[in-house]
Amino acid sequence: MYIKWKELLFSIAVSVGIGALASQLTKESISIYNSFTKPLLSPPVWLFSIVWTILY
């Protein structure tokens, strides 16, 4: 099986780059989240960065 390393690394770099850009553009939005009235079982703010890192 032949792996196209250049294309694979480019795809990974693009995905990580877009994720980094999105996080920079939305990092101030957490204050908006804090202003919402949330249900009792809503996750704490610090958990979002951990979960999104794992999911992404």
Side-chain angles (χ1 to χ4, degrees), residues 21-48:
L21 177 64
S23 70
Q24 291 300 312
L25 293 174
T26 60
K27 67 181 176 183
E28 300 300 322
S29 299
I30 199 69
S31 62
I32 295 171
Y33 176 76
N34 287 334
S35 68
F36 292 155
T37 302
K38 295 176 280 304
L40 293 174
L41 296 176
S42 65
V45 175
W46 58 266
L47 187 62
F48 276 101

